[in-house]
Amino acid sequence: MLVLKPSGQESLPASRLEVLEEVAQAAGWRVRQVREPSGLRVRNLGWLAGYRFPAGDEEDQGRVLLEAFRQPTGLRVGVAASGLDELTGLDLAYRMLWQRRLLFDRAQPLLPDAVAWTA
């Protein structure tokens, strides 16, 4: 279970953390405190968050895209190699990035020419 650290603090208050850890343990989880993302990471996540919901039957097209990204490839180049039209292919590629079926360098801006590869 991920828990955001309070702004300007190193950790949650001990009493609150203790309760969270107890509840998490009962569910078979572990608690991990993280900082809120910022900068490029929050921009990339914000962009991908718009693609977090499935858009219909994507299974066959998804397999085609995964094949096109077996080697690190720019998004537009991979979509073109898959034979899908650019808009449909990029839309699905972003969904697959959100689902982590495709990966990318999170230290780089997520542009249509960003390099992606299969997970």
Side-chain angles (χ1 to χ4, degrees):
M1 167 189 325
L2 295 178
V3 178
L4 285 178
K5 292 180 181 181
S7 182
Q9 296 181 16
E10 199 53 39
S11 178
L12 289 170
S15 60
R16 190 175 231 180
L17 186 56
E18 189 176 310
V19 170
L20 281 172
E21 287 175 339
E22 186 177 316
V23 170
Q25 186 177 17
W29 300 344
R30 292 180 309 152
V31 172
R32 188 170 64 132
Q33 294 184 68
V34 296
R35 297 239 178 261
E36 186 173 346
S38 62
L40 180 61
R41 181 168 167 81
V42 79
R43 286 194 302 274
N44 284 344
L45 283 172
W47 176 257
L48 287 179
Y51 293 91
R52 66 187 179 273
F53 302 109
D57 183 24
E58 302 171 343
E59 197 57 40
D60 291 335
Q61 292 176 337
R63 278 194 289 274
V64 170
L65 267 184
L66 287 175
E67 187 63 35
F69 287 98
R70 284 185 169 266
Q71 298 296 320
T73 306
L75 288 172
R76 285 185 186 168
V77 172
V79 166
S82 75
L84 298 174
D85 71 81
E86 186 171 7
L87 290 178
T88 301
L90 281 174
D91 183 73
L92 181 54
Y94 287 128
R95 288 180 199 292
M96 293 174 79
L97 286 165
W98 175 261
Q99 298 163 356
R100 293 188 178 173
R101 293 172 65 194
L102 288 177
L103 303 175
F104 71 103
D105 181 355
R106 295 180 189 180
Q108 299 298 317
L110 186 55
L111 302 171
D113 294 318
V115 175
W117 56 91
T118 56

